[in-house]
Amino acid sequence: MTAPILPLVEYEDASPQVREVYDDIMETRGSDWINNFWKVLAHDPATLKRTWQDVKQVMAPGALDPLTKELIYIAVSATNGCEYCTYSHTAGARAKGMTDAQLMEVMAVVGMANETNRLANGLRPPVDAQFLPEHPET
């Protein structure tokens, strides 16, 4: 287990601005605890609030269902090597019904996408005209 760069800001030690964000996190998630990511960000209440508002907006129901959003988050987190986010969003996806088979399939896609991206970046093939969006004349 890694040690945090900054100590965790627990609820009882938090400023009123931080407690307000913590309360919103718990209410939004239907939870009675704050995970360590937020406790570290609490050292800068403005960053904590901005980041939470952005996450809350992006992860809210939309054109993509909540499980799909978690699967995307897992894929990006694994590619970026973020252990914390990979664990956190795997737990979130499991809570939304993800199976072990789905996780393994996501990881297979992640591995394949990373391999073919590196090949394409190294070899620099021109993008096929059929892949480009059509833009009507304006």
Side-chain angles (χ1 to χ4, degrees):
M1 177 177 284
T2 59
I5 300 296
L6 295 169
L8 304 177
V9 178
E10 299 297 340
Y11 189 90
E12 57 273 6
D13 301 321
S15 69
Q17 301 122 306
V18 169
R19 283 185 184 196
E20 183 179 330
V21 176
Y22 282 4
D23 289 340
D24 189 35
I25 291 169
M26 289 186 289
E27 181 181 334
T28 300
R29 292 183 168 172
S31 176
D32 63 353
W33 65 283
I34 298 296
N35 55 306
N36 291 338
F37 176 74
W38 304 112
K39 291 178 182 179
V40 171
L41 284 185
H43 285 278
D44 182 349
T47 298
L48 170 68
K49 183 175 183 174
R50 177 187 48 78
T51 305
W52 167 244
Q53 291 302 318
D54 289 349
V55 166
K56 188 170 146 178
Q57 177 188 359
V58 169
M59 297 305 283
L64 296 175
D65 65 88
L67 177 56
T68 298
K69 289 183 178 192
E70 292 290 354
L71 294 173
I72 292 168
Y73 225 115
I74 292 168
V76 172
S77 298
T79 294
N80 286 335
C82 182
E83 178 181 39
Y84 186 91
C85 294
T86 301
Y87 273 103
S88 172
H89 290 279
T90 297
R94 286 191 190 285
K96 291 172 180 64
M98 180 189 72
T99 64
D100 288 347
Q102 286 174 310
L103 176 61
M104 291 308 298
E105 195 165 326
V106 165
M107 289 295 105
V109 172
V110 166
M112 182 52 50
N114 278 302
E115 178 183 349
T116 58
N117 283 189
R118 285 190 306 276
L119 289 168
N121 281 338
L123 297 169
R124 302 284 186 213
V127 176
D128 300 86
Q130 296 89 332
F131 296 157
L132 299 174
E134 293 183 26
H135 295 286
E137 297 298 319
T138 54

